Amino acid sequence: MRTVELLLDESADLAVREAWRRLADAGLPSQARHRSPTNSPHLTLATCPELTAPIRWELAEVAAALPLPVRFTGVVRFERPTSVLAWALDRDDALAGLHRRVWEAVTADSPPQALNPLHAPGRWSPHVTLGRSRRPGAFAGRRVHDLLPAPPLPVRLTTLRSYDTETGALEVLLPRP
């Protein structure tokens, strides 16, 4: 499976890593414990079985629209099927439009059953994961707001990349020259 993700600007990346550290120091699930060299703060837009030539063509257009200014709106929790703590992003018109272009690219050349329905426009909740756990309710009842730094403002999404979950390879997706 291949992801399509956006990376954050340097100051936002550092702020997310500080939140990861604070969660880990408090003994809570944290992305800081994910030791892969590919682990970095990111926003997942979609997943698909492979990046075919037609998908890559469309993603090069998306990459040309970067950087994209966005803003964090606060802490959000998900329970699906893992417990996730994240900073939510405002799904303004620009971010929603960029996401829709990515979704249309992957759906146009991927089997529908291979796509994650949570990434579909209207269901997608833009967020940057701070911590996750397979333990249901891992963040429930915790005063995580007191542990976390304030989300950075402003934030820019700067780089489009893909992660191959089978090989572990990362690929930066560049605009066409």
Side-chain angles (χ1 to χ4, degrees), residues 19-105:
W20 290 358
R21 185 194 62 75
R22 289 184 187 192
L23 289 170
D25 288 352
L28 291 169
S30 169
Q31 291 302 100
R33 292 190 173 100
H34 182 30
R35 298 291 183 198
S36 169
T38 63
N39 184 38
S40 61
H42 66 275
L43 169 64
T44 301
L45 300 167
T47 59
C48 58
E50 68 176 301
L51 295 181
T52 63
I55 293 172
R56 287 175 179 280
W57 181 263
E58 295 301 322
L59 293 181
E61 289 292 316
V62 171
L66 299 175
L68 180 69
V70 295
R71 71 180 185 88
F72 284 114
T73 59
V75 174
V76 66
R77 293 182 179 116
F78 302 105
E79 295 288 338
R80 58 173 192 204
T82 59
S83 292
V84 174
L85 179 73
W87 275 336
L89 286 163
D90 181 23
R91 185 174 39 187
D92 64 11
D93 290 343
L95 182 56
L98 185 139
H99 172 255
R100 181 169 297 283
R101 291 172 67 192
V102 169
W103 180 256
E104 289 171 354

